[in-house]
Amino acid sequence: MKRLLAASFLGLAAVSAQAQEVVTDLPKTKLTVVGGLSNLTAYQNGEHPFWSKTIPELSDGKITVDIKGYNEMGLKGPEVLRLVSQGVIPIGSATLAYFATDNPINEAIDLAGLAPDIQTAREITDAFLPAYEKHYDGINTKLLGISTYPAQVLFCKGSFAGLSDLKGKKVRTSSRTQAEFVQAFGGSSVTIPFGEVVPALQNGVVDCAITGSLSGYSAKWYEVSDHLYALPINWNQQLIVANKAFWNKLDPKVQQFLETNVKTLVDDIWAAAATETQQGYDCNTGAEACTLEPKGNMKLVEPSAEDQKLLKDVMDKTVIPGWAKRCSADCVDSFNQYIGPVLGLKASK
């Protein structure tokens, strides 16, 4: 089923790529873009070639772009949205989870446990776009699109059969919603930088850690953990935003051109995230389908029917109510208007 899912997203990307056409009547325009982390595939295979090659080619050379990952600019990530809002960065990419403490609306589409597959994650994201467009317009930014990273999943050392086994375990998390998710199942959240997770797992500082399935493989987490839980906890969606004043000064033809093609970029990154999620499962567990070397030897743990029931219960009673308490009434109303009908869930203040 996961392979069919990846294939469906690849098909979407292929269709969108075929729809791209060269536009020859655009005014000459120079853009500066700050992308995501330059060492991740979303940037290397998505953002960088899109801005540096695809946009100039499709604009008949009229639009040129200088793009660098935010880490190459000496930034840590959470500053990007503020700098776009201030006009210091004209166009930038940023992880929604970075801004959870600024406004809980930034967690709405990526609460831990909310989207247990990529189709649901994309449907929720697209459904909530009107709420985000309104919110970001209010902070002097134009929302161009929302892409994603691959599924964030659990790597565990020692016995792990499902969500109930989180009880008593120390788990490395990287966001507030992940921490609340782990705590709801009786685990304890530990904050550890990504680069320090391997020794932490090795030495028992943590029992489990959450990251992208392929990111964990690339960092060789399969050498220090033995169970990979194939339930996407969350996705780490990425905003693509422009400073509103800068955007409004662009020629309308350029605006339309960029909006049309950013939609293609977003589709392509979502398709890649589906593929990379599966590739992470395959390569960490040594499946024949893995095309990378070396192969891990982890056990893939599929969510059981009991896990699905536990997940729904925790979402209904803990994760969503906890989020709703810290979000505004308008924020909760937007959740119920746009996301509620997709999932059959309701948030209450």
Side-chain angles (χ1 to χ4, degrees):
M1 182 175 178
K2 293 185 180 73
R3 294 198 173 284
L4 291 174
L5 183 59
S8 69
F9 270 82
L10 282 173
L12 175 62
V15 170
S16 63
Q18 291 171 4
Q20 294 174 292
E21 296 179 357
V22 175
V23 179
T24 59
D25 62 344
L26 297 171
K28 285 190 175 181
T29 306
K30 173 73 174 178
L31 301 177
T32 299
V33 176
V34 174
L37 274 171
S38 63
N39 61 336
L40 298 181
T41 55
Y43 178 87
Q44 295 171 350
N45 301 333
E47 290 180 283
H48 188 270
F50 171 81
W51 290 109
S52 64
K53 183 179 180 183
T54 303
I55 287 298
E57 287 178 353
L58 293 179
S59 66
D60 196 30
K62 300 294 178 51
I63 299 179
T64 55
V65 185
D66 179 22
I67 177 170
K68 291 182 179 177
Y70 67 74
N71 54 310
E72 297 176 304
M73 306 289 290
L75 302 174
K76 295 181 179 179
E79 324 95 318
V80 172
L81 184 60
R82 174 173 49 82
L83 293 174
V84 172
S85 178
Q86 294 172 349
V88 177
I89 295 174
I91 299 175
S93 295
T95 303
L96 265 171
Y98 288 158
F99 316 114
T101 55
D102 296 342
N103 191 320
I105 197 172
N106 292 309
E107 297 175 285
I109 63 172
D110 200 32
L111 293 170
L114 194 65
D117 58 71
I118 198 165
Q119 286 179 325
T120 303
R122 182 69 193 269
E123 192 173 356
I124 291 169
T125 300
D126 289 347
F128 207 68
L129 282 175
Y132 278 148
E133 287 169 352
K134 179 181 178 181
H135 171 70
Y136 290 111
D137 183 73
I139 56 172
N140 198 36
T141 55
K142 162 74 175 177
L143 178 62
L144 298 177
I146 300 180
S147 63
T148 191
Y149 284 128
Q152 303 293 297
V153 294
L154 276 160
F155 290 70
C156 289
K157 182 178 182 181
S159 177
F160 189 88
L163 290 172
S164 59
D165 285 345
L166 282 172
K167 187 174 183 179
K169 283 188 166 55
K170 296 168 292 184
V171 183
R172 181 264 183 181
T173 60
S174 59
S175 66
R176 178 167 61 185
T177 188
Q178 286 183 2
E180 290 177 347
F181 181 87
V182 167
Q183 290 159 7
F185 288 101
S188 56
S189 170
V190 182
T191 302
I192 296 174
F194 183 84
E196 297 175 17
V197 171
V198 168
L201 281 166
Q202 202 165 26
N203 298 324
V205 175
V206 293
D207 305 296
C208 303
I210 300 172
T211 194
S213 61
L214 191 59
S215 299
Y217 168 78
S218 299
K220 298 185 177 181
W221 287 15
Y222 57 84
E223 292 184 348
V224 291
S225 56
D226 42 41
H227 287 75
L228 181 63
Y229 186 49
L231 174 74
I233 293 171
N234 64 319
W235 295 87
N236 274 358
Q237 283 95 327
Q238 306 288 298
L239 296 169
I240 304 172
V241 290
N243 173 265
K244 189 163 68 171
F246 166 81
W247 180 261
N248 289 339
K249 289 178 182 177
L250 292 175
D251 186 282
K253 289 182 180 178
V254 174
Q255 292 177 346
Q256 183 179 359
F257 172 82
L258 291 176
E259 285 187 281
T260 298
N261 285 286
V262 166
K263 285 182 173 66
T264 299
L265 170 66
V266 166
D267 286 344
D268 290 347
I269 294 178
W270 277 94
T275 301
E276 290 177 12
T277 296
Q278 182 62 48
Q279 189 176 38
Y281 293 157
D282 291 339
C283 292
N284 280 299
T285 60
E288 187 177 342
C290 176
T291 58
L292 305 175
E293 291 291 345
K295 294 183 179 182
N297 192 35
M298 298 183 72
K299 179 181 179 181
L300 188 69
V301 180
E302 296 278 2
S304 64
E306 179 62 24
D307 277 356
Q308 299 293 352
K309 184 178 177 182
L310 277 172
L311 178 62
K312 187 178 187 308
D313 191 53
V314 164
M315 293 304 299
D316 288 343
K317 296 179 180 178
T318 305
V319 175
I320 292 176
W323 170 79
K325 284 180 182 178
R326 59 179 179 263
C327 211
S328 69
D330 285 345
C331 171
V332 171
D333 287 344
S334 292
F335 180 95
N336 290 331
Q337 179 182 354
Y338 298 113
I339 296 176
V342 176
L343 300 176
L345 295 172
K346 185 175 181 179
S348 300
K349 285 294 287 179

